[in-house]
Amino acid sequence: MNQKKLRRLYREEKLQVRRRGGRKRALGTRAPLVLPDGPNQRWSLDFVSDAFTDGRRFRILAVIDDFTRECLALVADTSLSGIRVARELDALIWQRGAKPQTVVSDNGTELTSMAILRWSQERAVDWHYIAPGKPMQNGFVESFNGRLRDECLNETLFTSIRHARIELAAWKEDYNTVRPHSGLGGRTPAEAAAIACPGHAPDRLVIPSTSSQQSTKGLTL
């Protein structure tokens, strides 16, 4: 019996194995984006990966405000699911007292999960997915990621998740409140936020005690 006859008999007897469909994913929007003209209109987020000195990998969720260029969050952990991303976004909304109109991200598994779809629907926040293979459609956070890697990740040997969080918190504070940004007319992100939204106080990060800093001293290259 040849292959053609075998396949015909399978079809006639309906013996074919049913093909499984793909899992449901959040669709979001793909309409062209306009530049924001105020704080909290658009947040961008992305993941960055790095490793501890023992070779174990960890990830960092970076969230920025595209208008003020503020780094809103640097969440480091060995695993960051869609549920965790939604929880961190809720924490940011509570912290800032305002939700974004739009969130921009790539099409990663965590960011197209049902947890994110549910979150965006329940919070009435538009979720915009960039086109696959087009990272510059999320240029604000991509530029930020490059600076984060060059100035922090590539310069520091991380020994643990706690150490990574300490270093990232200090770098985030410096980025937001000390260094001027050319795209903001020479202002820091915190200054730009204060001008755009009077009375807005940037989140002050708790820097670990002196003893904690001394325990990690000398690990920066």
Side-chain angles (χ1 to χ4, degrees):
M1 183 183 296
N2 60 32
Q3 284 286 338
K4 284 187 177 179
K5 187 174 182 179
L6 180 64
R7 290 179 183 277
R8 178 173 60 79
L9 290 173
Y10 261 67
R11 285 196 301 271
E12 290 175 356
E13 298 298 327
K14 299 181 180 179
L15 298 174
Q16 307 101 309
V17 176
R18 293 184 61 185
R19 183 175 297 178
R20 293 182 60 188
R23 71 176 181 83
K24 292 183 178 179
R25 291 176 179 266
L27 297 178
T29 60
R30 286 279 174 80
L33 286 173
V34 297
L35 290 175
D37 56 12
N40 299 316
Q41 290 188 6
R42 191 170 79 207
W43 293 358
S44 294
L45 56 84
D46 198 9
F47 290 104
V48 185
S49 297
D50 205 56
F52 301 120
T53 51
D54 61 8
R56 290 180 300 131
R57 305 291 298 180
F58 69 96
R59 305 179 78 196
I60 302 163
L61 171 66
V63 185
I64 66 168
D65 186 302
D66 287 359
F67 180 76
T68 64
R69 308 295 203 277
E70 289 175 283
C71 174
L72 306 181
L74 287 175
V75 181
D77 215 327
T78 52
S79 177
L80 292 166
S81 65
I83 295 173
R84 175 70 180 279
V85 171
R87 191 164 69 240
E88 294 294 341
L89 290 174
D90 277 338
L92 273 177
I93 291 172
W94 180 84
Q95 205 172 44
R96 294 174 68 80
K99 67 179 182 181
Q101 296 176 15
T102 302
V103 173
V104 183
S105 77
D106 62 19
N107 300 268
T109 304
E110 302 87 352
L111 305 178
T112 56
S113 65
M114 293 304 294
I116 293 299
L117 175 60
R118 189 182 308 111
W119 182 89
S120 64
Q121 290 177 342
E122 291 176 352
R123 306 297 183 274
V125 173
D126 290 331
W127 199 288
H128 178 93
Y129 292 106
I130 64 173
K134 302 288 184 181
M136 288 316 298
Q137 290 183 7
N138 203 7
F140 288 106
V141 78
E142 289 291 340
S143 175
F144 172 84
N145 287 348
R147 183 173 294 186
L148 171 65
R149 186 164 296 282
D150 289 342
E151 299 178 4
C152 183
L153 303 185
N154 289 348
E155 296 295 317
T156 309
L157 295 174
F158 300 109
T159 58
S160 65
I161 196 65
R162 180 175 179 276
H163 178 214
R165 288 168 179 167
I166 291 171
E167 294 292 338
L168 288 168
W171 188 87
K172 174 175 175 280
E173 178 78 358
D174 182 74
Y175 175 86
N176 281 340
T177 63
V178 176
R179 287 179 295 169
H181 196 297
S182 59
L184 299 173
R187 300 185 182 92
T188 66
E191 290 172 339
I195 292 172
C197 187
H200 168 74
D203 304 322
R204 302 297 295 184
L205 294 168
V206 178
I207 303 300
S209 64
T210 305
S211 59
S212 297
Q213 292 181 21
Q214 288 175 348
S215 65
T216 57
K217 189 176 180 181
L219 292 171
T220 301
L221 298 177

